[in-house]
Amino acid sequence: MPPRHCLHLRHAHVYHAGVLCEIIDVQGDRLLARDGTGRRYTLSRFLLEGIPLTTAWLHRLGLQEGERLRNWRSGIAWVLRRTPQGYCLVPEGDAGAVRVQGALPYVHDLQRWHRGLTGRYLTLINDPGPETPPPPTP
């Protein structure tokens, strides 16, 4: 289940009962979402499944490894890197990745960081095609 603070981001993508949905509004523990056909759902935040961040999902979001995200407030650039633990953001020029920030295990984590850094929502730009939802969590 995505952490509560991540659910306050409109346009976050999550799975609900195996269906890819985009959150369009948050009302307490209830979320208003829509699927790719435009069908609307009222969801409980307790029943959501995060989408693991993969190279394929980066492509769907129009990003790639090494992408620079400039902080709109400070002007500092962050670079999207893949580590053995998954994707993360590293301040540009920090080759040793000593100051790694923002472990990004899920798509909604990247969407939250992107919004915080750039001031813009990160949404799907490439058709995701048929979805294979993650296996149910025990």
Side-chain angles (χ1 to χ4, degrees):
M1 174 179 61
R4 183 180 180 104
H5 70 277
C6 294
L7 300 178
H8 296 284
L9 175 64
R10 288 184 173 165
H11 303 291
H13 287 87
V14 295
Y15 280 112
H16 172 70
V19 176
L20 179 64
C21 293
E22 177 183 1
I23 297 171
I24 55 178
D25 196 14
V26 179
Q27 301 166 349
D29 287 340
R30 295 303 219 189
L31 309 169
L32 181 61
R34 67 176 162 231
D35 65 15
T37 67
R39 181 176 176 202
R40 291 180 180 242
Y41 299 84
T42 300
L43 312 175
S44 166
R45 73 175 183 90
F46 300 106
L47 300 177
L48 298 178
E49 304 165 49
I51 301 169
L53 184 58
T54 63
T55 303
W57 267 98
L58 284 180
H59 175 71
R60 289 175 178 178
L61 295 165
L63 298 174
Q64 60 187 349
E65 184 178 350
E67 188 90 17
R68 292 173 67 225
L69 302 176
R70 187 163 301 280
N71 185 311
W72 67 284
R73 290 181 190 108
S74 69
I76 295 172
W78 293 75
V79 180
L80 184 60
R81 296 273 184 243
R82 184 174 178 98
T83 67
Q85 295 76 31
Y87 287 98
C88 64
L89 289 166
V90 179
E92 188 172 51
D94 196 351
V98 174
R99 298 182 308 159
V100 170
Q101 298 291 321
L104 307 167
Y106 295 105
V107 169
H108 67 268
D109 293 318
L110 175 60
Q111 289 175 301
R112 180 176 57 89
W113 271 90
H114 187 277
R115 171 78 169 129
L117 288 173
T118 67
R120 297 184 322 268
Y121 291 113
L122 180 60
T123 59
L124 289 175
I125 63 165
N126 295 308
D127 183 334
E131 286 299 320
T132 305
T137 347

